[in-house]
Amino acid sequence: MKHYSLTYFIGQSFKGLWRNGVMSFASITVLMSCLIVLGGFSLLVYNIDVNLEKLGLLNEISVFLELDLEEEEIVSIENQLKSIPDVTKVIRTTNEEGLEQVENSMNLDVSEILDDYNPLSEKFTVYYSDNPQNVSYEINQIEGVRKVYDRLDLAMQLESFKNGIIIVFIWFLAILLIVSLFVIINTIKLAVYSRRHEITVMRYVGATGWFITLPFVFEGIIIGIISSVLGFFIEWYAYTYIEKMVTTQMKMINVIMFDDIKLFVFIGFVGIGILTGIIGSCLSLSKYLKS
Amino acid sequence: MIDFKKVRKAYPNGTVALHDVTLHVDDGEFVFIVGHSGAGKTTLMKLLLREEKASSGRLMVNEFNLSRMSNFKVPYYRRQLGVVFQDFRLFQNKTVYENVAFAMRVIGTSPRMIKKRVPAILNTVNLLDKIHNFPRELSGGEQQRVALARALANNPKIIIADEPTGNIDPKMSLEIMNLLLKINKLGKTVIVVTHEKSLVDYYQQRVVTLKDGEIIEDRVGGMFEE
């Protein structure tokens, strides 16, 4: 493409946006809202995932053994745990190590109080990749296992909460994207209508279909860029506000800093914005592209 | 060269606008296409502009076979044509210069070439002194001369004028016709579609008369038969 043609396309695109100011404003507002909602949901899901991982709720089971087991029996249980399908790692914590952890966490010498008696049992931490219910069931079948803390209920509750958010998010996103496309298509159609005489003359003097349609595609791209940049800054402001609120009032929740992810958010916003603009323009111009 | 061979055009509603028309126009000819409403003049124009495709027969314009040409090639074919309309179709918000330059810009001509060529074309149609005027500041005849300049902008081989004098007074009509003859003398083929009997009779050029979709007369130095 020659540089003077590119200058012409961009100039025409801005003229078109200005000429149909109300529709252009509507397109930008709707697409921007869509991107903010999309970004908001994505960040929420991402934060839930990070917190779940941090809590270790999803792929970890604590197994406590009977108190009077011999070392051979403990090793045998460890081997049985390792042989369960989907188990990826088994870590043993001896009762001495357990007592040490308690002492460290409470910052006192427990052995003196207990008179060298250790009331803790041997513990295994079992990590798994999939099928938590099955893994938990298999562990419970092993002889010598006293108690199993799988925290599956909590994990499943959080998982279903996350899945619920994703379903709502997908529907919301689909509806907003369709509305955005619809508004962009109408904006471009209006732009084509207001330039119909120009287009007729262009066709008669031998302008190619691409030359006629590219200014409108650029118009869609500009709508996408403006929407995404505005949406990004609003998202940034809103997220930082919520981040401050959560970190001061709900300290146990770990919130990802916006600075750590802003580049990804920006690329995502601009990418989706431009893509939506191009698709909207091409859909409304399909008949010109064909002829 | 324009060559119609048994060209027939039927529309989807069943109307047959042209019946096996055969017509040959050599390079550099000046031809009036005349006929009353419904004679088939508009359809003939549309076929030449490749707005419509012939239902049967063969239509060749220079090296382009319009009956078989793909849509992709249409813009390149149209660059060989210069079209003038009855209603001028000028952009009211552009100056005379910009109106002519527009036709060059949209086919990718460089700004340097546009700057060089537009004044030369406006000189050909005697409008150099109005180069910075807007169409609303010009008379009907002058506006049609701008349209003619725009048609010449891309140096076409053929000029097609659809009722070029339909919107202007008789004195200006003569001026436009004289300009078309001048352009014809520069070596361009000129096709004028009109129903103005006085002009056709005055200029004594080749006249092709259409009636009910058929050519009923084709005579050099002919008259507009009522």
Side-chain angles (χ1 to χ4, degrees):
Chain A
M1 191 188 297
K2 293 160 188 164
H3 69 90
Y4 42 84
S5 296
L6 188 68
T7 316
Y8 168 79
F9 292 147
I10 295 171
Q12 290 301 309
S13 310
F14 277 108
K15 273 185 195 170
L17 282 173
W18 185 251
R19 212 177 285 162
N20 303 305
V22 176
M23 282 304 285
S24 305
F25 178 74
S27 298
I28 290 169
T29 311
V30 174
L31 184 56
M32 187 184 74
S33 312
C34 174
L35 288 168
I36 291 170
V37 173
L38 165 73
F41 273 107
S42 304
L43 291 172
L44 178 62
V45 170
Y46 185 44
N47 271 292
I48 291 173
D49 254 354
V50 168
N51 278 281
L52 287 178
E53 248 174 61
K54 203 188 171 206
L55 289 168
L57 288 171
L58 291 177
N59 57 354
E60 183 186 317
I61 295 174
S62 299
V63 181
F64 296 93
L65 307 187
E66 298 287 358
L67 289 166
D68 52 352
L69 294 178
E70 296 296 325
E71 179 60 23
E72 287 164 14
E73 290 171 302
I74 295 168
V75 173
S76 162
I77 290 170
E78 185 175 6
N79 290 334
Q80 287 179 67
L81 288 171
K82 282 178 179 169
S83 66
I84 296 171
D86 298 314
V87 167
T88 54
K89 196 166 68 174
V90 176
I91 293 176
R92 179 178 172 184
T93 309
T94 61
N95 57 354
E96 283 90 7
E97 286 167 344
L99 193 65
E100 207 177 304
Q101 282 173 10
V102 172
E103 283 179 338
N104 287 339
S105 66
M106 295 172 77
N107 205 17
L108 62 102
D109 192 357
V110 182
S111 54
E112 266 183 31
I113 303 163
L114 296 173
D115 197 18
D116 284 339
Y117 171 69
N118 189 343
L120 302 180
S121 64
E122 297 280 325
K123 178 195 165 193
F124 284 109
T125 307
V126 177
Y127 295 90
Y128 56 88
S129 58
D130 208 356
N131 295 321
Q133 281 160 316
N134 185 50
V135 173
S136 178
Y137 173 79
E138 293 285 342
I139 293 170
N140 274 302
Q141 302 308 305
I142 299 171
E143 205 176 315
V145 169
R146 182 167 58 89
K147 201 150 197 171
V148 177
Y149 281 120
D150 54 17
R151 290 175 287 185
L152 278 179
D153 285 350
L154 180 59
M156 282 166 78
Q157 270 177 12
L158 283 167
E159 265 293 298
S160 63
F161 174 66
K162 192 180 89 175
N163 291 338
I165 286 176
I166 290 173
I167 289 169
V168 173
F169 160 69
I170 289 170
W171 277 105
F172 221 81
L173 180 70
I175 293 166
L176 275 172
L177 273 177
I178 290 167
V179 172
S180 300
L181 272 177
F182 182 76
V183 178
I184 290 174
I185 287 170
N186 277 296
T187 306
I188 303 297
K189 273 188 179 167
L190 265 183
V192 173
Y193 182 78
S194 66
R195 288 182 60 200
R196 63 196 183 283
H197 298 305
E198 211 172 303
I199 290 171
T200 308
V201 173
M202 284 167 93
R203 294 177 76 153
Y204 283 130
V205 298
T208 57
W210 278 110
F211 200 96
I212 295 169
T213 53
L214 268 181
F216 301 109
V217 176
F218 272 67
E219 204 170 316
I221 292 174
I222 292 168
I223 288 174
I225 292 173
I226 295 173
S227 310
S228 53
V229 171
L230 287 176
F232 171 76
F233 283 110
I234 293 172
E235 188 85 48
W236 188 351
Y237 177 79
Y239 187 89
T240 313
Y241 179 78
I242 295 167
E243 179 192 300
K244 271 184 196 158
M245 206 170 72
V246 173
T247 45
T248 50
Q249 290 176 20
M250 288 176 268
K251 287 181 179 163
M252 73 284 189
I253 296 176
N254 185 36
V255 183
I256 302 151
M257 303 298 282
F258 197 78
D259 278 349
D260 297 341
I261 47 168
K262 69 179 175 192
L263 184 66
F264 298 106
V265 176
F266 185 76
I267 292 169
F269 270 41
V270 173
I272 294 171
I274 289 176
L275 201 67
T276 314
I278 291 174
I279 293 170
S281 310
C282 290
L283 285 176
S284 57
L285 291 164
S286 54
K287 78 168 183 179
Y288 285 97
L289 288 169
K290 274 178 204 157
S291 60
Chain B
M1 176 271 294
I2 299 169
D3 194 48
F4 285 75
K5 262 212 180 94
K6 290 196 167 181
V7 171
R8 180 175 181 274
K9 176 63 191 175
Y11 288 101
N13 65 2
T15 310
V16 181
L18 290 178
H19 298 270
D20 298 338
V21 167
T22 296
L23 171 70
H24 183 87
V25 178
D26 275 323
D27 288 342
E29 270 199 271
F30 189 109
V31 182
F32 282 114
I33 308 281
V34 301
H36 296 290
S37 293
K41 303 191 300 286
T42 307
T43 301
L44 195 114
M45 275 275 294
K46 283 184 175 176
L47 290 176
L48 273 178
L49 292 171
R50 189 39 173 77
E51 273 188 60
E52 296 283 351
K53 264 185 173 179
S55 306
S56 64
R58 198 185 71 159
L59 172 52
M60 292 286 297
V61 177
N62 296 330
E63 71 273 24
F64 292 93
N65 184 344
L66 269 56
S67 315
R68 289 184 178 181
M69 189 167 63
S70 67
N71 286 340
F72 172 73
K73 283 187 181 168
V74 172
Y76 304 98
Y77 160 68
R78 285 186 181 151
R79 290 176 193 182
Q80 306 218 344
L81 310 176
V83 191
V84 180
F85 302 96
Q86 181 177 0
D87 56 358
F88 321 135
R89 298 197 188 175
L90 298 177
F91 304 123
Q92 297 301 318
N93 57 347
K94 290 187 195 311
T95 63
V96 167
Y97 176 90
E98 288 165 345
N99 264 283
V100 180
F102 177 80
M104 299 175 77
R105 188 177 295 132
V106 298
I107 64 160
T109 311
S110 71
R112 186 185 292 179
M113 178 58 83
I114 293 172
K115 265 186 195 166
K116 194 176 153 190
R117 190 161 159 73
V118 174
I121 300 164
L122 287 173
N123 193 35
T124 308
V125 297
N126 307 321
L127 269 180
L128 200 51
D129 54 330
K130 307 275 185 185
I131 193 164
H132 298 302
N133 285 71
F134 286 92
R136 62 176 176 275
E137 298 164 346
L138 306 176
S139 68
E142 286 171 330
Q143 287 192 49
Q144 193 58 296
R145 273 149 61 192
V146 179
L148 200 50
R150 185 178 63 193
L152 289 168
N154 295 321
N155 198 20
K157 292 176 180 166
I158 302 165
I159 297 288
I160 299 173
D162 182 17
E163 304 281 3
T165 55
N167 260 353
I168 49 182
D169 62 53
K171 194 185 159 203
M172 291 293 181
S173 298
L174 287 175
E175 207 177 291
I176 293 297
M177 287 310 301
N178 287 338
L179 261 176
L180 284 168
L181 278 171
K182 183 179 161 186
I183 291 162
N184 175 241
K185 291 218 164 63
L186 293 171
K188 307 216 181 281
T189 307
V190 177
I191 309 286
V192 180
V193 177
T194 185
H195 63 267
E196 285 195 51
K197 183 180 183 326
S198 56
L199 280 179
V200 177
D201 294 350
Y202 179 81
Y203 281 97
Q204 295 282 300
Q205 297 290 327
R206 180 179 171 191
V207 181
V208 174
T209 309
L210 282 168
K211 190 180 178 186
D212 297 330
E214 289 179 44
I215 294 176
I216 55 164
E217 194 173 66
D218 182 356
R219 193 194 299 172
V220 178
M223 309 279 272
F224 191 158
E225 301 294 340
E226 291 287 350

